[in-house]
């Protein structure tokens, strides 16, 4: 035998530390993931064509990333949406992911969230801010205890004035809702960005970037900003950006809209809230929402700057998303909690180093994120759990379509939405709605009874039944 070959083979056998070193180097080559979620953020961003809002940092990020123009949540409320996207499983009314109080531990106890799956496959996983709706939900799936400024600060009392420092102006304490003991629905304070909770979430996440870059393992670092969720509390300088916001021109209820489609009452839990027909109230709502979005944009920009300074930019996948939409006066609605597109469409922007940026019109949904990250991180998918599909083909080619429609559930209503139609059905009442986005992008006219759409309605109902049937049973369903 050739002596060189012999000694090489012997070296492999007798030097296991060399193998360990090679494995470590191989693991190090895996991409890190920075997963950024903003609570209640709809696609109200410059990169989505909204000219009135100031989001320069997200817009810059989007110019180097893939922007999904038709991305949808699977449930228009935080708890259910996050449970669904973090497990890759559709909601299943009334068993699984139906409202804001739900927990994965209860609704799908055998499901492995993406944090746990990545952890099991060599990643170091960290949660900062609001990622899981409940901090204790699947807490063991993270490599270290999930972090929040106030670990016990998100229970039924989370917005009581001023239990968890949500308001920073002493004047805010003059306005308390006697029914809920919550403070006002907005605040503009002369404070630095770091004063509010999201500023501290940013500081913790930047510190973690500096810490995690020194580890051998790749990381999955999740950063959950609380804004633009109510209350609309942001530094005054962001309010000053919007002296006179433009209001939507469809502040009316569409004719023939099913009674199940209604306004959210969430804002009424805060002080100073009024009825949606109060025009000045609606303007204040939109101004406050815009201020909070611009605040998050500034924090996101600082986070991207830190990622670059840490030398991690070229080896880190960055995902930015909202967990559901939010009405800002459209149809005289304020908030989420219905199946109109404005409550279900979300921003989704993915940056993968080395991949071309662009915009895609492909319809996608948040359950698709789990299989997408599995493929990007070069790990297998869990069996018999995921309802979504990988979006990696779209990242390679923005024209690719990976599915026909998104599926959404809310309070017994089932919804499918594709490139043209939004169709929903409430089986209990047999109420239905249908919007044709080709002629009615704002969803002002329910055309369910129009004769020319009857074949379309039948086809969409078939597709709805098919996708719902496929999502009913998982190995992780509670017994």
């Amino acid at each position: 035998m050739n002596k060189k070959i012999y000694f090489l083979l012997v070296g492999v056998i007798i030097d296991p530390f060399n193998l360990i070193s090679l494995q470590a180097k191989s693991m190090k080559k895996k991409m890190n993931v920075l997963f950024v979620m903003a609570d209640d953020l709809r696609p109200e961003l410059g990169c989505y064509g909204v000219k009135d809002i100031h989001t320069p940092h997200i817009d810059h990020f989007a110019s180097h990333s893939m922007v999904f123009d038709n991305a949808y949540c699977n449930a228009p409320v935080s708890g259910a949406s996050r449970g669904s996207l973090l497990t890759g499983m559709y909601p299943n009314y009334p068993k699984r992911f139906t409202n804001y109080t739900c927990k994965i531990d209860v609704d799908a106890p055998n499901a492995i969230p993406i944090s746990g799956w990545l952890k099991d496959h060599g990643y170091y996983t960290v949660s900062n801010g609001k990622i899981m709706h409940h901090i204790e939900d699947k807490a063991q799936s993270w490599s270290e205890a999930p972090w929040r400024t106030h670990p016990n600060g998100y229970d039924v009392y989370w917005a009581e004035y001023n239990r968890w420092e949500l308001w920073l102006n002493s004047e805010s304490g003059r306005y308390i809702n006697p029914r809920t003991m919550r403070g006002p629905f907005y605040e503009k304070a002369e404070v630095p960005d770091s004063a509010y909770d999201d500023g501290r979430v940013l500081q913790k996440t930047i510190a973690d970037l500096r810490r995690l870059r020194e580890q051998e393992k790749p990381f999955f670092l999740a950063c959950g900003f609380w804004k633009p969720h109510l209350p609309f509390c942001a530094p005054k300088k962001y309010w000053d950006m919007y002296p006179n916001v433009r209001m939507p021109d469809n502040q009316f209820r569409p004719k023939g809209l099913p009674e199940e489609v209604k306004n959210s009452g969430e804002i009424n839990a805060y002080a100073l809230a009024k009825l949606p027909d109060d025009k000045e109230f609606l303007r204040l709502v939109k101004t406050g929402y815009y201020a909070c979005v611009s605040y998050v944009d500034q924090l996101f920009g600082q986070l991207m700057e830190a990622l670059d300074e840490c030398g991690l930019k070229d080896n880190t996948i960055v995902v930015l998303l909202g967990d559901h939409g939010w009405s800002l006066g459209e149809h005289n609605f304020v908030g989420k909690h219905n199946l109109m597109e404005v409550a279900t469409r979300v921003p989704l922007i993915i940056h993968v180093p080395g991949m071309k940026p662009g915009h895609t019109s492909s319809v996608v949904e948040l359950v698709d994120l789990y299989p997408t990250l599995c493929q990007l991180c070069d790990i297998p998918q869990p069996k018999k759990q995921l309802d979504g599909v990988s979006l990696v083909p779209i990242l390679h080619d923005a024209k690719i379509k990976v599915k026909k429609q998104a599926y959404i559930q809310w309070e017994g209503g089932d919804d499918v939405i594709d490139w043209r139609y939004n169709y929903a059905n409430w089986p209990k009442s047999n109420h239905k709605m249908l919007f044709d986005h080709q002629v009615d992008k704002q969803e002002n006219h329910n055309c369910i009874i129009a004769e020319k759409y009857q074949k379309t309605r039948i086809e969409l109902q078939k597709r709805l039944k098919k996708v719902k049937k496929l999502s009913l049973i998982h190995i992780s369903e509670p017994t």
Side-chain angles (χ1 to χ4, degrees):
M1 178 184 291
N2 185 293
K3 288 185 178 181
K4 289 184 178 179
I5 296 176
Y6 174 78
F7 283 116
L8 282 171
L9 289 173
V10 171
V12 169
I13 295 171
I14 66 174
D15 187 9
F17 298 104
N18 186 49
L19 281 179
I20 294 171
S21 176
L22 289 172
Q23 289 171 350
K25 289 180 181 178
S26 177
M27 180 61 73
K28 190 65 175 177
K29 290 179 182 178
K30 283 186 178 289
M31 298 285 259
N32 303 307
V33 180
L34 179 57
F35 189 84
V36 184
M37 190 159 17
D39 204 357
D40 285 13
L41 180 63
R42 75 186 213 176
E44 203 75 3
L45 304 166
C47 55
Y48 279 89
V50 181
K51 296 180 180 179
D52 294 341
I53 199 160
H54 300 283
T55 52
H57 301 290
I58 293 176
D59 297 343
H60 177 73
F61 169 72
S63 70
H64 299 279
S65 309
M66 184 61 71
V67 179
F68 291 81
D69 291 328
N70 292 305
Y72 296 89
C73 69
N74 299 102
V77 70
S78 182
S81 178
R82 289 165 187 255
S84 174
L85 76 91
L86 292 168
T87 60
M89 299 166 65
Y90 282 136
N92 179 11
Y93 185 86
K95 293 182 178 180
R96 182 178 67 235
F97 307 148
T98 61
N99 56 43
Y100 77 95
T101 65
C102 69
K103 295 181 180 180
I104 301 171
D105 276 329
V106 175
D107 290 9
N110 297 320
I112 305 172
I114 185 63
S115 49
W117 190 248
L118 286 167
K119 177 184 172 183
D120 291 344
H121 288 82
Y123 275 73
Y124 195 86
T125 60
V126 177
S127 170
N128 291 330
K130 186 180 178 184
I131 298 299
M132 299 287 184
H133 189 77
H134 303 277
I135 191 171
E136 73 277 10
D137 192 18
K138 290 290 183 180
Q140 73 282 2
S141 71
W142 303 94
S143 299
E144 54 191 57
W147 180 91
R148 290 179 181 178
T149 305
H150 303 287
N152 300 318
Y154 203 88
D155 52 19
V156 294
Y157 309 107
W158 79 279
E160 277 191 5
Y161 187 88
N162 201 6
R163 191 163 181 160
W164 305 113
E165 301 177 300
L166 293 181
W167 294 270
L168 299 180
N169 273 348
S170 58
E171 183 182 357
S172 296
R174 296 170 53 196
Y175 306 99
I176 306 296
N177 184 320
R179 178 174 59 87
T180 62
M181 301 307 296
R182 293 187 178 190
F185 74 88
Y186 73 97
E187 177 185 84
K188 34 189 166 181
E190 290 278 11
V191 295
D193 291 347
S194 58
Y196 285 112
D197 202 0
D198 277 342
R200 284 172 271 185
V201 171
L202 171 68
Q203 290 174 341
K204 172 65 164 57
T205 304
I206 290 176
D208 284 340
L209 281 175
R210 293 168 178 158
R211 172 171 61 99
L212 295 174
R213 68 177 173 178
E214 305 299 330
Q215 295 192 10
E216 287 296 323
K217 288 185 175 183
F219 62 77
F220 174 77
L221 176 56
C223 171
F225 292 122
W226 299 88
K227 298 304 170 195
H229 192 288
L230 285 164
F232 299 141
C233 301
K236 184 177 179 295
K237 61 184 176 181
Y238 299 107
W239 285 81
D240 293 343
M241 293 178 176
Y242 304 103
N244 188 28
V245 295
R246 288 193 300 174
M247 299 305 294
D249 57 9
N250 61 338
Q251 296 178 48
F252 55 85
R253 185 178 179 86
K255 186 178 180 180
L257 196 66
E259 62 185 25
E260 289 88 349
V261 183
K262 52 193 176 184
N263 190 31
S264 169
E266 181 181 13
I267 200 168
N268 297 324
Y270 296 86
L272 301 180
K274 298 181 180 179
L275 295 176
D277 58 3
D278 187 307
K279 302 305 180 184
E280 288 309 308
F281 164 66
L282 280 183
R283 188 177 300 278
L284 189 56
V285 166
K286 187 170 184 179
T287 303
Y289 186 92
Y290 270 37
C292 288
V293 172
S294 289
Y295 175 37
V296 169
D297 175 76
Q298 176 64 31
L299 299 178
F300 181 78
Q302 293 178 45
L303 182 57
M304 291 301 96
E305 184 178 342
L307 184 74
D308 193 14
E309 290 175 351
C310 287
L312 295 166
K313 183 178 179 181
D314 295 333
N315 192 41
T316 302
I317 299 159
V318 181
V319 181
L320 174 65
L321 69 147
D323 55 354
H324 46 70
W326 220 85
S327 295
L328 291 168
E330 298 88 354
H331 310 117
N332 257 17
F333 292 161
V334 175
K336 55 241 188 193
H337 302 150
N338 61 57
L339 292 175
M340 304 297 283
E341 187 191 44
V342 73
T344 61
R345 184 167 167 253
V346 299
L348 175 61
I349 308 173
I350 301 177
H351 175 76
V352 181
M355 287 192 176
K356 291 182 179 180
H359 281 252
T360 177
S361 62
S362 299
V363 174
V364 302
E365 47 194 339
L366 293 185
V367 290
D368 297 329
L369 279 173
Y370 197 132
T372 301
L373 289 174
C374 285
Q375 186 171 355
L376 289 174
C377 296
D378 195 24
I379 63 174
Q381 297 181 17
K383 295 180 179 179
K384 297 182 180 181
Q385 178 177 311
L386 305 186
D387 287 314
V389 298
S390 174
L391 304 179
V392 170
I394 299 175
L395 295 173
H396 286 290
D397 183 352
K399 296 180 180 179
I400 293 289
K401 312 293 182 187
V402 296
K403 56 177 50 181
K404 288 184 177 180
Q405 73 272 317
Y407 174 58
I408 308 159
Q409 267 193 0
W410 178 245
E411 292 189 337
D414 298 300
D415 186 26
V416 286
I417 188 164
D418 63 15
W419 69 273
R420 179 173 178 177
Y421 298 107
N422 181 13
Y423 172 75
N425 174 44
W426 287 263
K428 189 174 181 179
S429 66
N430 202 33
H431 292 162
K432 297 177 174 65
M433 74 177 190
L434 176 65
F435 294 104
D436 182 353
H437 291 164
Q438 198 168 66
V439 297
D440 181 26
K441 182 60 180 173
Q442 290 186 330
E443 298 191 336
N444 294 330
H445 306 284
N446 182 12
C447 58
I448 192 65
I449 63 174
E451 182 63 30
K452 69 175 184 178
Y453 289 108
Q454 293 316 296
K455 288 184 179 179
T456 298
R457 180 186 63 78
I458 293 170
E459 169 62 22
L460 289 169
Q461 181 64 29
K462 288 180 180 178
R463 284 159 59 179
L464 181 59
K465 286 183 177 179
K466 183 178 179 181
V467 69
K468 185 175 181 180
K469 183 178 180 180
L470 290 174
S471 70
L472 287 179
I473 301 175
H474 294 78
I475 59 168
S476 50
E477 196 79 22
T479 56

